Amino acid sequence: MVASNEFNPDKITKGDLFTSTNVEDFPVPHGRDEVWRFISLRKLRGLHNGEFLPAVAQAVKVSQHPGVSAETVGRDDERLGRVGKPSDRVAAQAWTSMPEGQVITVAPEVEVEDPITVTYTGRGEGVTSFGATSIEVGHHAQATVVLQYVGSGTHADNVEFILGDGAHLTVIVDVDWENDAVHLSNQVAQVGRDAVLRHNSAIFGGEIVRIVPRVNFTAPGGDAELLGVYFADSGQYFENRMLVDHSVPNCRSHVLYKGALQGEKKNEARTCWVGDVLIRSNAQGTDTYETNNNLILTDGARADAIPNLEIETGEITGAGHAATVGRFDDIELFYLMSRGIPEAEARRLIIRGFFNEVIHRIPVQTLSEELENRISEELEKISA
């Protein structure tokens, strides 16, 4: 494994990521770098090379609940960055540039009935906002956390989730920026013994959005599920790049992301999904599967789907991956039209059904209904 103070890209494996809170420890990304080759660096507004507009703190508001504490702390607070240190230059830039961060703690054995809502509001033009959020759920506690990103601006952050033994955490990352926003987020989850993580991501807004979740297991019995939906229009680029690192025995992970794209000109609407799953040699009994499905609705759209599965032991329960990029199923369309449903409405029904598998698993009913409404709004843009 590469030590934290020894940066050598040639020796880094998927699981042995170099991490640092110092931006100068990372080289400036270039378009040929593997982890940056899909995104347009010139559209990142200087987040990758230090040429961004003046730095300010993120604007964040946390709802209050019994058994939950929320604090604004200095960048050097020891509770920040315990498991989620930056693994790329933009994440390190966010850490180096942020004046403060947030620490949210759910007390052990507490069951929080209502969702904990953390709302990040863009700071608008002329500045760049940076921040970090640490969310810890004590042993045998249960909570749902909704991270909402709204407004306009340029934003980069680090978010970490720490699950104690037997804890159950549902996370919903709701990215609903205005369409002129740029947002890059580094997210890391540490899952304890017999703990359960349900990480849900929904990306509908923003010009450039890049979410990088990583999951690490610390003891047997951990269970992680990563679900995601995204819908990209003309001028939008969404990237989901994840890593699930199975480093201990008898843990489970399941990944399912679904996206749709529509754009008028070639490559005008783009998405990228990269799913890395690593099963280390001592992770016997692992059970994992990852899937990414994409619907291309117009000629001016492009989706890249790259599943990667690295297995170092054969003593596992199961492992697999699948990815698809394609257009409508003509048979489904023909079937609906043969029942008297107009073609435009038939297409809308197919798309809604395509997303429902993920959306209906979001436990917050008001949010799942809101996502269905957003999909309906997107479908109205598709010409009959």
Side-chain angles (χ1 to χ4, degrees):
M1 181 179 295
V2 178
S4 61
N5 60 348
E6 299 176 357
F7 184 71
N8 188 343
D10 295 331
K11 295 183 179 180
I12 293 178
T13 65
K14 287 183 173 66
D16 301 325
L17 292 173
F18 172 79
T19 61
S20 174
T21 57
N22 183 1
V23 66
E24 298 303 327
D25 288 340
F26 296 89
V28 175
H30 297 283
R32 293 184 179 180
D33 295 343
E34 175 60 30
V35 298
W36 297 101
R37 67 188 180 97
F38 293 102
I39 199 168
S40 175
L41 295 174
R42 61 184 176 82
K43 293 184 178 181
L44 296 186
R45 301 176 185 170
L47 288 173
H48 67 298
N49 60 10
E51 297 179 0
F52 51 86
L53 293 171
V56 296
Q58 63 185 9
V60 58
K61 181 178 180 181
V62 184
S63 60
Q64 298 182 352
H65 305 266
V68 179
S69 65
E71 305 172 60
T72 298
V73 299
R75 184 181 63 194
D76 296 330
D77 191 288
E78 62 182 10
R79 291 171 294 177
L80 292 175
R82 284 173 289 172
V83 302
K85 287 186 171 60
S87 60
D88 62 48
R89 184 178 174 91
V90 174
Q93 185 69 73
W95 191 282
T96 301
S97 302
M98 69 175 185
E100 61 190 28
Q102 277 66 42
V103 175
I104 301 171
T105 306
V106 179
E109 300 182 359
V110 168
E111 182 175 351
V112 184
E113 295 184 1
D114 298 322
I116 303 167
T117 302
V118 186
T119 303
Y120 303 90
T121 303
R123 299 295 300 271
E125 298 180 355
V127 296
T128 305
S129 57
F130 296 102
T133 304
S134 177
I135 300 172
E136 181 174 8
V137 181
H139 62 82
H140 298 99
Q142 297 185 38
T144 296
V145 176
V146 180
L147 306 181
Q148 294 182 325
Y149 294 91
V150 296
S152 299
T154 304
H155 182 65
D157 61 359
N158 293 278
V159 184
E160 60 183 351
F161 311 100
I162 305 171
L163 283 69
D165 293 346
H168 193 301
L169 174 63
T170 297
V171 177
I172 303 168
V173 182
D174 180 17
V175 182
D176 193 28
W177 295 109
E178 298 296 327
N179 286 339
D180 61 350
V182 171
H183 177 205
L184 280 72
S185 183
N186 180 70
Q187 303 185 1
V188 182
Q190 178 177 283
V191 182
R193 181 181 298 273
D194 298 325
V196 177
L197 171 68
R198 297 291 180 258
H199 185 283
N200 306 268
S201 173
I203 307 176
F204 286 82
E207 178 182 352
I208 304 287
V209 177
R210 185 178 195 254
I211 308 294
V212 184
R214 306 198 314 268
V215 177
N216 299 309
F217 299 95
T218 62
D223 186 339
E225 185 175 75
L226 282 72
L227 304 177
V229 294
Y230 48 90
F231 203 126
D233 286 319
S234 295
Q236 292 183 312
Y237 174 84
F238 300 153
E239 180 173 326
N240 294 281
R241 180 180 290 268
M242 66 208 62
L243 168 65
V244 181
D245 187 351
H246 286 271
S247 58
V248 295
N250 302 319
C251 290
R252 172 189 176 272
S253 67
H254 179 73
V255 178
L256 175 60
Y257 274 64
K258 292 196 171 191
L261 305 85
Q262 57 185 359
E264 297 177 0
K265 299 179 181 179
K266 183 178 180 181
N267 293 340
E268 192 174 28
R270 289 198 59 184
T271 64
C272 174
W273 179 90
V274 179
D276 288 326
V277 176
L278 171 62
I279 304 175
R280 296 179 185 264
S281 59
N282 59 336
Q284 299 87 359
T286 292
D287 185 7
T288 182
Y289 201 91
E290 60 172 349
T291 306
N292 175 230
N293 301 126
N294 299 274
L295 268 181
I296 304 297
L297 304 179
T298 62
D299 292 335
R302 172 179 169 178
D304 292 289
I306 307 172
N308 297 304
L309 182 58
E310 185 175 340
I311 305 174
E312 297 179 350
T313 176
E315 299 178 17
I316 59 176
T317 301
H321 61 69
T324 60
V325 177
R327 298 185 179 275
F328 284 100
D329 187 325
D330 291 335
I331 296 177
E332 290 182 357
L333 190 62
F334 174 78
Y335 175 82
L336 293 175
M337 293 177 64
S338 69
R339 296 301 187 270
I341 300 176
E343 181 178 354
E345 181 59 25
R347 289 177 178 271
R348 294 186 180 99
L349 289 173
I350 293 172
I351 296 171
R352 290 192 185 99
F354 172 78
F355 280 114
N356 280 345
E357 181 181 4
V358 177
I359 291 177
H360 286 175
R361 293 163 74 171
I362 294 177
V364 181
Q365 183 176 353
T366 55
L367 185 53
S368 63
E369 291 175 352
E370 169 63 21
L371 294 179
E372 288 182 335
N373 291 335
R374 290 182 202 170
I375 291 173
S376 295
E377 292 174 359
E378 297 286 354
L379 297 180
E380 293 300 323
K381 302 175 184 177
I382 303 175
S383 61

